[in-house]
Amino acid sequence: MNDLVTTEWQRFVNRCVWSWQGVAEVWRTEASFRYWTLINIFSATLVVAFPFSGAERGLIIALGILILAAEMLNSAIERAVDYTGKDIHPLAKAAKDAGSAGVALTACAGGLAWICILVS
């Protein structure tokens, strides 16, 4: 049992290290990720400053984190496509456009949540 706990703990630690390396790499190389991070800091500051409920605050902050997750996945798609070749191909364009659309839709969800909370 002790070996299982040690093994699982090491796996958890490895996942944390690898995830942090991914965040650091995307932060370093992707202006869009840095942009969305700053927007989320601003959004989180506003949501804490206004008299919103805990659920409303949680929703806005969670959607902000999802935007960052979508941007990470978009960056992964772009890197994978770029790795396969530099030639322009319709499928490569479609994959990159779909990743970008995923970020845009997630951002729209965050914006819609803000609008709904402010209007209610």
Side-chain angles (χ1 to χ4, degrees):
M1 181 67 172
N2 194 23
D3 288 341
L4 177 63
V5 171
T6 302
T7 300
E8 289 306 314
W9 176 252
Q10 188 57 52
R11 286 181 180 165
F12 173 76
V13 169
N14 288 342
R15 288 182 188 114
C16 291
V17 168
W18 298 328
S19 294
W20 183 249
Q21 288 172 346
V23 170
E25 173 64 16
V26 172
W27 175 266
R28 187 178 63 77
T29 60
E30 296 291 333
S32 183
F33 182 76
R34 294 189 300 272
Y35 167 81
W36 283 117
T37 300
L38 293 175
I39 293 295
N40 275 293
I41 290 169
F42 178 70
S43 178
T45 301
L46 283 179
V47 82
V48 170
F50 285 111
F52 294 142
S53 71
E56 291 167 332
R57 286 185 177 123
L59 177 65
I60 294 295
I61 292 169
L63 284 169
I65 292 168
L66 286 176
I67 293 168
L68 295 178
E71 186 61 47
M72 287 279 183
L73 294 171
N74 183 43
S75 296
I77 291 167
E78 289 178 353
R79 282 171 171 73
V81 168
D82 288 346
Y83 178 76
T84 61
K86 294 296 180 186
D87 296 335
I88 297 174
H89 190 280
L91 291 176
K93 180 182 182 330
K96 287 184 170 191
D97 289 351
S100 180
V103 175
L105 287 173
T106 308
C108 286
L112 181 62
W114 261 111
I115 291 168
C116 289
I117 290 169
L118 291 173
V119 170
S120 66

